[in-house]
Amino acid sequence: MSNIPPIIHKTRTQLVVEALREQILSGDIEGGEPLRQSAIAEQLNVSRIPVREALVQLEAEGLINFEPHKGATATKLSVEQVTELFELRAMIESDLLAKAIPNLTEQDIADAEAVLVQLELAFKLKESVASWSEINTRFHTRLYKAANRPHTLDVVHGLNTNCDRYIRLQLLFTGGIPTAEREHRILLELCKAGDVEKATALLHEHILSAAASITKLVEQKIKS
């Protein structure tokens, strides 16, 4: 019985957040597009209160802006944002991994590998695009958790949420999946071997290389 996952009851606000987040991250709602509370409430069959609360949460995640005279709009793609977010990730996550590796147990490695297998399966299914970022975050979290830095991990999760749509763009449109799969496997082996220097160097390069390819893609989308 212990393997049965708990039933999670989601509030209306959580459901609206997830629905809107998915539409923004997938590109169904484009950057700069206004988000009308009444239209969203009607579409999702809820009152305007959970919609308003959801928009506030999505603003905190960096996915929408509140602009004078326009209300809520989806955040536009930004090269400057890519640079800032991914440089922060490279710096913070590399440090977190360096602190985690000496504490990693065999069970931690086994758990991370199990999540990595899930991610590799999800990469093969285009209908699983929406799960890529969440599973990817779980893989890295399995490694970082051993650092025993819960507040830093919260910061990383916030950065990952803001990076989500950029990462999806990269994986879908730049052929980044084979590279991601290969580097994740090497990273896991380096963590298993306890090689802090090589593991952190690979992670740093893994994040900044993704940023470089995303920057090119965003520049093309902005021009078009």
Side-chain angles (χ1 to χ4, degrees), residues 4 6 34 38 53 60 79 104 109-110 117 121 126 134 137 146-147 175 177 194 197 202 214:
I4 299 175
S38 55
E53 292 171 348
V79 170
L104 286 171
I109 296 294
V117 169
L121 289 172
K126 281 288 173 74
E134 185 266 330
T137 298
I177 289 175
E197 187 176 346
L202 173 62
I214 293 164

Side-chain angles (χ1 to χ4, degrees), residues 51 81-82 121 163 221:
V51 173
Q81 187 182 49
V82 172
L121 289 172
C163 289
K221 285 187 170 288

Side-chain angles (χ1 to χ4, degrees), residues 97 100-118 120 138-147 184-196 199:
L97 185 64
I101 288 175
N103 301 328
L104 286 171
T105 64
E106 288 184 8
Q107 188 61 54
D108 290 329
I109 296 294
D111 289 345
E113 182 159 23
V115 177
L116 187 53
V117 169
Q118 289 180 34
E120 289 166 345
R138 273 201 285 129
F139 166 67
H140 285 280
T141 298
R142 290 287 185 183
L143 298 176
Y144 301 158
K145 233 177 160 182
H184 281 148
R185 276 285 160 191
I186 297 171
L187 181 65
L188 186 62
E189 288 304 312
L190 290 171
C191 289
K192 191 175 182 179
D195 195 327
V196 173

Side-chain angles (χ1 to χ4, degrees), residues 43 48 66 72 84:
Q43 177 195 349
R48 292 174 69 166
F66 282 100
E84 181 180 6

